[in-house]
Amino acid sequence: MKTTLIIIFILSAVSIVNAQKKPKTEKVAGKAEIRVEDSYCIGEIKQRVIDLAKIDALEKTFGKVIVQGTNTYIENVNTGERSSTNTQMNVIANSMVRGEFVEENVTKLEWFLRDRQNPTGMKQELWILCEIEGKAREMKEADVAYEVATMNCTNPGACNTEVYQNNERVYLNFQTPVQGYLSVYMQDNEDDIIYRLFPYSKMSGEYESAVPVKADLNYVLFSEQHHKALFPDVSRSILDPISAYTTKEQLFNRIFVVFSPEPYNKPVLEINQAAGGIKTIAPEKFHQWLNKNKARSTNFQTSNIDIIIKK
């Protein structure tokens, strides 16, 4: 009897710890619309309106973030009341928000025409509308404050950029204050596919799902010059150099940097022979994988970097 009680107590304790690790989620819904400008490319305007709909949903649920000087406030969008806060924030489309999606469903994404009066008469403008729903978690605990930037050379801090010319090399600079596991994906809006850029396609064993990274070490990924110092036990021949490329005048792609202090499993990937053996996944399946991991653990973090490639 005593042994049984001890086992029950241990199982209960484990359940409590797991429940504390698993973030609480709430149902959210939002919408946004944008007037289409000539400078936008299709992939960019679609992602921009989806991001704005996400911001609308998060602000209606968790409040709007107001920054005044050194103080940060949360404003209730319904009542206008403000309260001071020091909780962790998330950034979407350069806007600070108090939560993040762990499950999302774009219920409407459509183009429409709107009449507008101007000095020469009535003019029709093209707009795009997005409505989104899903589940989100409020951000309370501080994330690992890692640093990441895209570059067009191998000198960290000297050539950070998010705009690339056709056939220009792409490098990624990464630093973390704690050891953990890193992977990098890119959504190609021209081919409508997600490429797994890192781990490199031929990495296996302990590197297969995500690459172990050390605290405070300055990583320059996709660089032959830095590879030997960063991964002395891994042949340089497995490195996958990344070049920006498009057949359009301008292409908008999104890079996803995935980090966790704890190991995590990769999604199911396919080897894309046409892309030199780089592994790929459909966007819908990739986002399902991201959201499931976010829903399981607050330690699973992602950062997005939007890059533009010009022909």
Side-chain angles (χ1 to χ4, degrees):
M1 181 67 178
K2 185 176 180 180
T3 303
T4 303
L5 288 174
I6 292 173
I7 292 173
I8 292 173
F9 175 78
I10 292 172
L11 291 175
S12 299
V14 170
S15 298
I16 291 171
V17 170
N18 288 336
Q20 289 174 342
K21 274 191 168 185
K22 189 173 182 179
K24 181 182 177 183
T25 61
E26 295 190 39
K27 290 184 178 180
V28 297
K31 64 179 180 179
E33 55 185 43
I34 300 178
R35 186 178 68 188
V36 180
E37 306 288 351
D38 292 339
S39 59
Y40 289 141
C41 57
I42 298 299
E44 180 184 9
I45 191 67
K46 284 184 176 180
Q47 190 60 62
R48 189 182 294 266
V49 76
I50 291 172
D51 287 344
L52 290 177
K54 286 183 177 182
I55 292 170
D56 179 58
L58 294 172
E59 288 184 344
K60 287 192 295 189
T61 305
F62 304 119
K64 186 175 183 178
V65 179
I66 307 292
V67 179
Q68 293 182 339
T70 58
N71 299 318
T72 303
Y73 302 90
I74 301 298
E75 180 180 273
N76 187 305
V77 296
N78 297 316
T79 66
E81 294 181 356
R82 294 185 182 181
S83 59
S84 180
T85 182
N86 58 0
T87 57
Q88 177 70 15
M89 301 297 169
N90 186 22
V91 177
I92 299 177
N94 296 322
S95 295
M96 195 175 291
V97 289
R98 200 184 179 188
E100 68 173 344
F101 273 75
V102 297
E103 181 180 313
E104 60 191 76
N105 179 30
V106 176
T107 56
K108 182 180 289 187
L109 188 64
E110 62 183 28
W111 310 90
F112 66 96
L113 294 173
R114 175 175 286 166
D115 292 334
R116 181 186 179 189
Q117 187 70 39
N118 62 32
T120 61
M122 194 68 71
K123 179 183 178 182
Q124 284 194 321
E125 298 175 330
L126 181 62
W127 288 66
I128 184 170
L129 167 72
C130 175
E131 294 182 2
I132 195 168
E133 61 184 24
K135 294 180 181 179
R137 68 184 183 195
E138 185 178 9
M139 300 186 72
K140 295 182 179 180
E141 299 177 4
D143 289 338
V144 174
Y146 60 77
E147 298 178 1
V148 61
T150 48
M151 309 183 298
N152 59 6
C153 77
T154 58
N155 187 7
C159 51
N160 292 359
T161 185
E162 294 169 7
V163 179
Y164 291 86
Q165 300 301 316
N166 221 7
N167 296 315
E168 194 170 23
R169 284 287 297 271
V170 179
Y171 304 96
L172 189 136
N173 185 209
F174 179 86
Q175 276 188 295
T176 171
V178 299
Q179 66 180 18
Y181 298 83
L182 174 69
S183 58
V184 181
Y185 295 78
M186 184 181 73
Q187 182 160 351
D188 187 324
N189 288 301
E190 186 168 7
D191 296 332
D192 192 31
I193 199 168
I194 301 278
Y195 292 93
R196 206 274 295 273
L197 304 182
F198 190 74
Y200 302 129
S201 57
K202 294 181 181 178
M203 279 183 161
S204 58
E206 65 172 329
Y207 299 112
E208 187 172 3
S209 284
V211 176
V213 289
K214 298 177 181 179
D216 304 321
L217 188 60
N218 201 344
Y219 287 85
V220 179
L221 306 184
F222 320 122
S223 166
E224 295 90 345
Q225 175 185 343
H226 291 79
H227 182 82
K228 186 175 181 180
L230 296 174
F231 309 107
D233 59 333
V234 180
S235 170
R236 197 176 76 170
S237 63
I238 71 159
L239 184 144
D240 295 323
I242 305 298
S243 296
Y245 178 76
T246 182
T247 58
K248 300 180 180 180
E249 289 301 315
Q250 185 170 287
L251 178 65
F252 170 89
N253 285 345
R254 172 162 287 185
I255 291 176
F256 299 87
V257 179
V258 184
F259 175 81
S260 175
E262 304 166 350
Y264 56 89
N265 292 323
K266 67 176 182 61
V268 175
L269 302 170
E270 296 182 1
I271 297 175
N272 191 317
Q273 298 294 353
I278 290 179
K279 296 179 179 179
T280 60
I281 183 174
E284 182 179 355
K285 291 182 178 179
F286 173 74
H287 289 289
Q288 287 175 352
W289 172 76
L290 275 187
N291 292 334
K292 284 181 179 179
N293 279 283
K294 287 180 181 179
R296 289 191 184 107
S297 174
T298 56
N299 288 328
F300 188 87
Q301 297 177 226
T302 61
S303 294
N304 301 338
I305 303 176
D306 295 330
I307 65 171
I308 293 176
I309 305 169
K310 295 184 177 182
K311 189 174 179 181

